[in-house]
Amino acid sequence: MLKRRPVLLAAPALLLTRPAAAQIFLSREAEARLGAQEHPKILAQFGGAMEGPHAAYVRDLGQRLAALSDRPNDSWTFTLLNTTVINAFAVPGGYIYVTRALLSLCADEAELAAVIGHEIGHVIHRHAAQRYDRQVGAQIGGVAAEILGQIFLGVRGAGQIAGLAGQFWLASYSREQEFEADTYGVRLLRAGGYTTEAMASFLDRMNAWDRLDAAATGRRPGEDQFSWLSTHPRTTDRVRAAIAQAGGDARGRTARDEHIRRLDGLVWGDDVNEGVVRGRTFLHPGLGIRLDFPEGYRVVNGKNAVSATHREGAQIVFDAARIRGDLTPDQYLTRVWAQNVRLGGVSSLEVGGWPAAAARGRLSTREGTIDLLLVAAKFAPGRYWRFQLATRADRLEAFQAGFNAMLASFRRISREEAAAIRPLRLRAHQVRAGETVASLARTLPLPQPEQRFRVLNGLGADETLRPGMWVKLIAA
């Protein structure tokens, strides 16, 4: 979705490098206040809270597990976030978040219970409160905001970066804290009658999915800094050690078929109302536009901007902006958008048939020198499309050709093209006689369809389908 402010996807890389030396323990009352304060920021950053049966499923399961915890009478809030980021995390005060992308990858209810139980463990052990201190809290809106407000232009002041603080809670915990959360989650699995193996099988599933994503996008496994794997540093051996610490393996229910049936209709990938990413192409039927990002970039559709990141250090951000009054593209670029940036010469061009202005800029930040290529295209009075290429110093030329090709691809789409953009959804399918992994996998609109089908449905490499069992498909 395109709104006024960029989503600032580089935030965690900056925040996570800061030492967490001066930690404090908040009171329980302060934790509750902090959670209530951060909750709307997190919703703004990660697509908002979903409603309906899928959100109710997460909420109901979370409340059942919380009732088995050491703090059953506390106030717990379980939220399903409308984002393609594959993650789950907790905030002090009993606020626990699961993204719909992560929910879709859980093979059964036991795995979902393992994820939620793990996050309950972080709250019970007060790990987020230990990590949070007033100095870091100030830096979220201060130093980091200053740097990012320069890189992602048009943002000045911590109060204008609502999403930045939300991303703080994606910071990874220590191995010891992850072990504690795993151990507590296993105890909740046991108490809830679920198989404790789910804690390990979900981690295996995330690793397998990450390898497939890495192969499809050209990145190295483990490079996605927003994923569950990056923010929850664990290995299968450590998870199994946590299972042993919690009393060893226990066989229990997985509730696999019920889980798959309850996921029927869940949006897969981008929400059409927010625009969609299909490969490297961004399409927005409501705005009637198409933009093809260059090869080698990972494209993420955020709530406020579309961001594409290259593993060699470049980032492209596309968003829209509105001002009171009306300025020409070059006036908007120099007087409003990049007024605090040292710019080179401003040139005129057309982008998608709209008049536009382009300029290069350079910023000196605490993280080093940043080179920028900025393009603003005016599509209505006081309204502008914005294209930003940011690299480390003297690296702009290496990425400019791809950026220029992207600008050339930007165009309006027809009503017929817009109408053809339909959301993909998970579909619960009961296997019929004669259907195989290969035949059903061919229906998936994904690269490596057979491997994806197996990971998505929790099937081993040699496991076959049985008539009557339920599986997840992806279809419009």
Side-chain angles (χ1 to χ4, degrees):
M1 183 177 182
L2 297 178
K3 291 188 178 178
R4 180 176 179 182
R5 303 183 188 98
V7 74
L8 306 180
L9 286 177
L14 294 175
L15 294 175
L16 301 191
T17 60
R18 299 193 178 282
Q23 296 177 339
I24 64 170
F25 287 89
L26 302 175
S27 68
R28 294 276 289 277
E29 293 77 13
E31 286 188 41
R33 290 194 298 270
L34 177 60
Q37 168 189 306
E38 295 300 302
H39 182 64
K41 299 176 185 178
I42 290 167
L43 297 186
Q45 183 67 42
F46 296 102
M50 296 188 69
E51 301 296 340
H54 306 114
Y57 177 34
V58 171
R59 184 169 57 249
D60 294 346
L61 178 57
Q63 294 293 351
R64 292 203 308 270
L65 292 170
L68 301 172
S69 74
D70 293 334
R71 288 159 52 177
N73 298 319
D74 281 13
S75 175
W76 294 87
T77 303
F78 296 90
T79 302
L80 180 63
L81 295 172
N82 186 22
T83 177
T84 58
V85 172
I86 303 172
N87 217 320
F89 55 99
V91 169
Y95 291 84
I96 291 176
Y97 304 88
V98 176
T99 70
R100 63 173 167 81
L102 183 142
L103 173 62
S104 67
L105 291 179
C106 292
D108 50 48
E109 188 173 289
E111 289 191 352
L112 178 58
V115 171
I116 295 175
H118 177 97
E119 299 305 330
I120 289 175
H122 280 309
V123 173
I124 294 293
H125 287 289
R126 307 184 71 192
H127 291 153
Q130 293 173 35
R131 186 176 61 193
Y132 184 89
D133 63 53
R134 299 187 189 282
Q135 182 180 5
V136 171
Q139 288 172 341
I140 292 173
V143 175
E146 175 190 343
I147 296 169
L148 293 169
Q150 292 173 334
I151 297 175
F152 299 95
L153 303 170
V155 179
R156 293 180 299 281
Q160 298 185 33
I161 308 182
L164 185 56
Q167 292 190 28
F168 169 75
W169 302 108
L170 283 183
S172 59
Y173 292 105
S174 69
R175 293 177 180 178
E176 293 75 15
Q177 290 171 328
E178 287 297 298
F179 184 82
E180 285 184 323
D182 274 339
T183 302
Y184 200 89
V186 171
R187 289 173 180 160
L188 288 181
L189 286 175
R190 187 188 299 273
Y194 296 102
T195 177
T196 56
E197 175 65 20
M199 188 66 73
S201 66
F202 182 74
L203 178 60
D204 290 340
R205 185 164 334 289
M206 292 298 94
N207 277 307
W209 194 266
D210 183 65
R211 288 193 295 271
L212 291 171
D213 266 352
T217 59
R219 64 171 174 84
R220 289 182 290 270
E223 280 189 337
D224 184 356
Q225 63 183 351
F226 301 99
S227 76
W228 167 269
L229 294 177
S230 294
T231 61
H232 295 73
R234 309 135 85 208
T235 65
T236 301
D237 288 343
R238 293 194 192 103
V239 171
R240 295 200 180 281
I243 294 173
Q245 178 75 15
D249 289 325
R251 292 186 178 182
R253 63 193 180 97
T254 64
R256 181 184 183 279
D257 287 354
E258 178 185 0
H259 171 78
I260 290 176
R261 290 196 298 269
R262 296 194 71 165
L263 296 193
D264 186 60
L266 180 65
V267 173
W268 174 274
D270 292 316
D271 187 333
V272 168
N273 294 325
E274 305 286 338
V276 301
V277 173
R278 298 285 189 260
R280 293 182 291 106
T281 298
F282 174 69
L283 300 155
H284 200 303
L287 297 175
I289 56 173
R290 170 179 176 143
L291 181 65
D292 298 327
F293 285 85
E295 291 186 9
Y297 287 78
R298 187 197 175 202
V299 184
V300 175
N301 182 21
K303 188 172 180 61
N304 302 313
V306 187
S307 176
T309 305
H310 197 283
R311 68 182 183 184
E312 294 182 6
Q315 186 171 49
I316 296 171
V317 177
F318 168 61
D319 69 350
R322 178 186 301 205
I323 61 170
R324 292 181 179 179
D326 189 31
L327 297 173
T328 63
D330 60 303
Q331 289 171 335
Y332 170 75
L333 195 158
T334 57
R335 299 180 189 178
V336 179
W337 187 19
Q339 62 176 299
N340 296 322
V341 180
R342 187 172 72 252
L343 295 175
V346 179
S347 59
S348 298
L349 69 159
E350 279 195 357
V351 177
W354 290 290
R360 292 191 179 204
R362 171 163 285 191
L363 289 168
S364 297
T365 76
R366 300 185 190 186
E367 302 295 322
T369 301
I370 303 295
D371 281 347
L372 302 165
L373 180 54
L374 310 172
V375 176
K378 179 180 174 181
F379 64 94
R383 302 185 68 180
Y384 307 86
W385 303 122
R386 307 194 304 189
F387 307 83
Q388 312 169 33
L389 171 62
T391 72
R392 295 300 178 189
D394 301 318
R395 294 281 293 149
L396 208 57
E397 297 293 341
F399 300 96
Q400 186 169 349
F403 184 77
N404 290 341
M406 179 196 71
L407 293 175
S409 76
F410 188 58
R411 65 175 177 86
R412 297 178 177 91
I413 59 175
S414 67
R415 291 183 179 180
E416 292 74 19
E417 289 176 296
I421 302 170
R422 298 179 180 179
L424 298 176
R425 298 182 184 273
L426 287 183
R427 298 299 181 188
H429 174 77
Q430 194 166 25
V431 176
R432 297 187 289 265
E435 290 181 325
T436 65
V437 168
S439 67
L440 291 179
R442 282 196 293 270
T443 69
L444 266 61
L446 300 173
Q448 314 119 313
E450 187 164 332
Q451 298 97 311
R452 299 268 187 177
F453 181 85
R454 289 188 178 278
V455 176
L456 188 64
N457 287 288
L459 301 174
D462 300 318
E463 192 170 350
T464 58
L465 301 181
R466 304 179 308 278
M469 72 183 294
W470 288 85
V471 295
K472 290 178 279 185
L473 301 179
I474 302 171

